[in-house]
Structure formats: C-alpha cells, structure tokens
C-alpha cells in the first residue's frame, strides 16, 4: 500500500448526469414558481405579457398562441409560459449537471454562484438587449431582488436534487 497512491476520478456518467438534470430541473422549476408567488418579480401590468410570452412574440408567435391557457380549479393558467419556464429550468439544470462532471468548481456555493450568473446574464444582459424586458436600470428593485434570490434558490435546488439523483443512478450495487 502506497501513501502516495493517486486517486483516480471515475469517468463521468453523462447519461446519469442528463437524467439527474432533468429531474432537478422539473423540481427546481416548481420551486421557482413558488418563489415568485411569495415575491412576485413583476407588477401585474408588466406580467400581463410575461417575459416568456414576449420572447415568443418577438420570435413571431401570435399573441393568441403565447397567451393560450388551460383551466384548472377555476384558474386560467398560461401553459405556453409554463413550457418555456420548465424548458429553461431543465435545460440549465442539465447543463449544470454535465458541466459539474468535468469542472466541480461550477458547484461553488451549492450552485448559488451559477444561479446568480444565469440571472445576471439573462435578466441584466440578454433579455434587456433583446428588449424582452426593460433595461436593468429601469427594472424595479423588487424585480432584481426577487429574480436574484429566486435564481439562487432555483440553482441550489438543482444542485441538491441533481446530486442525489446522480448518486442514486451511479452508486454501485453489491
């Protein structure tokens, strides 16, 4: 037995990382919805056409499609917005899980740093540049607080759920 034996890191299981990311993205999407019910990021007027709806309209989909709803328990719910919301959440959760297999530093702060980076990139950069949302300086402080903290909670959830699902998918059964 050598005291200086090098530990060999197991080769990443990308199939497990993708499955873990999908599961984490669905759960974290629900967490982000709950967060926005407690700390709504936008005023009701600005939410009449929310960012996913506006983005789809910018891509050429008619308002009648982007505002389509389904009815549940007396509520009209915007299924198109939900599809974009969960698509974004799941895509970034898969990206996070896969990247973490190669660069563990991405998991700094349990994913909170990654979550803040995604918030800054999209809510302060990409979406204002595309005119999907107002420029960052014109967004209310409540929106920045809700979205920044919501992205931390969202990505922390991805980190915890993704780690556990990945562990369960890759643990050796004796």
């Amino acid at each position: 037995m050598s005291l200086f034996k090098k530990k060999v890191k197991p080769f990443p299981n990308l199939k497990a990382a993708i499955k873990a990311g999908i599961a984490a993205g669905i759960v974290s999407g629900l967490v982000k919805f709950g967060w926005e019910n407690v700390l709504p990021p936008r005023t009701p007027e600005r939410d009449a056409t929310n960012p996913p709806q506006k983005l789809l309209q910018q891509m050429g989909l008619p308002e009648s499609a982007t505002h389509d709803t389904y009815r549940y328990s007396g509520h009209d719910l915007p299924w198109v917005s939900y599809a974009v919301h969960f698509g974004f959440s799941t895509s970034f959760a898969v990206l996070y899980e896969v990247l973490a297999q190669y660069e563990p530093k991405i998991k700094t702060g349990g994913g909170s740093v990654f979550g803040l980076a995604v918030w800054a990139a999209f809510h302060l950069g990409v979406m204002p540049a595309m005119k999907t949302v107002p420029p960052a300086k014109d967004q209310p402080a409540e929106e920045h607080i809700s979205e920044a903290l919501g992205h931390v909670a969202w990505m922390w959830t991805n980190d915890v759920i993704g780690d556990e699902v990945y562990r369960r998918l890759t643990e050796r059964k004796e």
Side-chain angles (χ1 to χ4, degrees):
M1 179 169 112
S2 170
L3 293 174
F4 301 104
K5 190 172 185 179
K6 185 178 178 183
K7 263 190 176 177
V8 177
K9 185 179 177 190
F11 190 73
N13 184 328
L14 293 182
K15 187 175 179 182
I18 290 168
K19 287 179 180 179
I22 291 169
I26 292 167
V27 173
S28 68
L30 292 168
V31 166
K32 185 74 163 68
F33 270 150
W35 183 271
E36 290 182 356
N37 275 315
V38 175
L39 293 175
R42 289 170 296 282
T43 62
E45 297 78 29
R46 281 211 32 240
D47 225 14
T49 297
N50 62 40
Q53 292 167 326
K54 175 110 184 238
L55 176 64
L56 292 172
Q57 287 172 217
Q58 289 173 304
M59 296 170 68
L61 268 69
E63 185 175 328
S64 60
T66 63
H67 285 71
D68 198 17
T69 61
Y70 67 96
R71 192 157 188 78
Y72 184 82
S73 190
H75 297 271
D76 290 326
L77 302 166
W79 73 267
V80 176
S81 295
Y82 293 174
V84 173
H85 174 84
F86 281 102
F88 182 89
S89 181
T90 302
S91 296
F92 273 88
V94 168
L95 177 67
Y96 179 78
E97 286 299 319
V98 169
L99 290 176
Q101 299 306 309
Y102 296 98
E103 185 49 67
K105 288 179 186 170
I106 200 166
K107 297 171 75 59
T108 299
S112 60
V113 173
F114 188 84
L116 283 171
V118 171
W119 164 71
F122 283 87
H123 288 267
L124 305 180
V126 174
M127 292 194 307
M130 294 176 61
K131 300 192 183 335
T132 304
V133 299
K137 66 178 179 51
D138 296 335
Q139 295 172 26
E142 294 88 352
E143 184 165 353
H144 291 306
I145 291 167
S146 173
E147 290 290 1
L149 294 176
H151 277 71
V152 168
W154 163 70
M155 194 48 71
W156 179 83
T157 303
N158 279 323
D159 187 71
V160 170
I161 300 294
D163 277 358
E164 182 61 17
V165 172
Y166 185 84
R167 184 190 65 76
R168 288 180 184 209
L169 290 172
T170 59
E171 72 184 358
R172 295 187 192 268
K173 308 247 190 304
E174 307 281 328

